[in-house]
Amino acid sequence: MSVDPRPLLATASEALLDCLVVGAGPVGLLLASELAARGCKVVLIDALAEPAKLTKASGVVARSLEVLPSDVESKMLQNGSMLKALQILEKKEGEDLNPVLEVKTASIEVYHGILALRQQETERYLTEHLQSLPDWFRGGTKKMEIQRGVLLESFTEGPTGVQCVLKTAASGGLETVSCKFLVGCDGGHSKVRKTLGFSFEGS
């Protein structure tokens, strides 16, 4: 299928979208929320049709809690568990578990530990916060939503911003989107990072 040459979110002379955020994990959700709260026209897309059930990050450090919206922080503290100490173990074939590192976290100021909470719960609270904010791209009368099942196919930088080609997973249809800023919050296999040629050691 060929790309529709008519821009979905921009005119030929102006990028009407302030920011396109790729990836609706915790980082993308928080960024989209912060931008929307400040009156930016932002769209958040994610390749998955529904939220992931696999937890990749279950520890939330104090500094992250400090910068979260207060309603999100309250829900997380209410439903998570505060870890006072962490121990990392190593298992080699044919050998017993070997302690590698032990970290005492009870001395951390304010929170006195590291919060343990499943990633899907963190994302759920951030999504609820996002959906309470006005969608300025749609005039501010509707609330923000995650555009799920939408993939970033490719992008190029032009005189009026970043031209992005988006693909709808269900139909395979392609759309052209123009934005002032493109932000990749799409994890270790980031399409944005790979296209720009940035390395990610360990991937």
Side-chain angles (χ1 to χ4, degrees):
M1 180 179 294
S2 60
V3 178
D4 187 341
R6 296 168 300 175
L8 176 66
L9 302 180
T11 66
S13 59
E14 181 183 9
L16 298 183
L17 187 61
D18 291 319
C19 185
L20 174 66
V21 180
V22 182
V27 176
L29 285 163
L30 180 58
L31 175 61
S33 296
E34 292 296 296
L35 291 173
R38 288 161 175 75
C40 295
K41 298 175 182 178
V42 56
V43 168
L44 173 61
I45 67 171
D46 195 275
L48 297 178
E50 59 183 29
K53 295 180 174 60
L54 176 66
T55 292
K56 297 181 180 179
S58 58
V60 186
V61 299
R63 183 56 184 148
S64 294
L65 290 169
E66 288 173 348
V67 300
L68 288 172
S70 59
D71 59 319
V72 176
E73 179 200 26
S74 296
K75 291 177 182 178
M76 292 176 66
L77 290 174
Q78 182 178 356
N79 294 284
S81 300
M82 200 62 69
L83 303 179
K84 304 300 183 182
L86 304 173
Q87 188 178 50
I88 299 175
L89 305 175
E90 180 183 47
K91 179 68 170 74
K92 293 183 179 180
E93 187 175 354
E95 297 182 11
D96 294 333
L97 284 172
N98 179 42
V100 176
L101 178 66
E102 185 170 353
V103 181
K104 303 291 186 181
T105 60
S107 61
I108 295 177
E109 293 183 7
V110 181
Y111 297 100
H112 306 293
I114 293 178
L115 183 69
L117 186 69
R118 292 183 302 171
Q119 183 173 332
Q120 55 264 48
E121 293 185 59
T122 299
E123 292 182 4
R124 176 157 58 90
Y125 303 143
L126 284 167
T127 298
E128 291 170 354
H129 178 75
L130 176 73
Q131 292 172 338
S132 72
L133 298 170
D135 185 339
W136 296 109
F137 174 66
R138 296 190 293 174
T141 57
K142 296 183 178 181
K143 300 299 183 182
M144 287 290 297
E145 296 177 358
I146 303 169
Q147 305 302 316
R148 291 201 168 275
V150 180
L151 299 82
L152 176 65
E153 188 77 1
S154 63
F155 64 89
T156 55
E157 187 174 5
T160 60
V162 185
Q163 305 297 318
C164 305
V165 177
L166 306 182
K167 181 179 181 180
T168 303
S171 65
L174 299 175
E175 302 174 302
T176 301
V177 174
S178 182
C179 54
K180 296 177 183 177
F181 296 95
L182 170 66
V183 182
C185 302
D186 43 346
H189 300 287
S190 171
K191 176 74 173 182
V192 176
R193 177 181 56 77
K194 289 182 178 179
T195 300
L196 292 174
F198 296 137
S199 63
F200 182 63
E201 299 302 327
S203 63

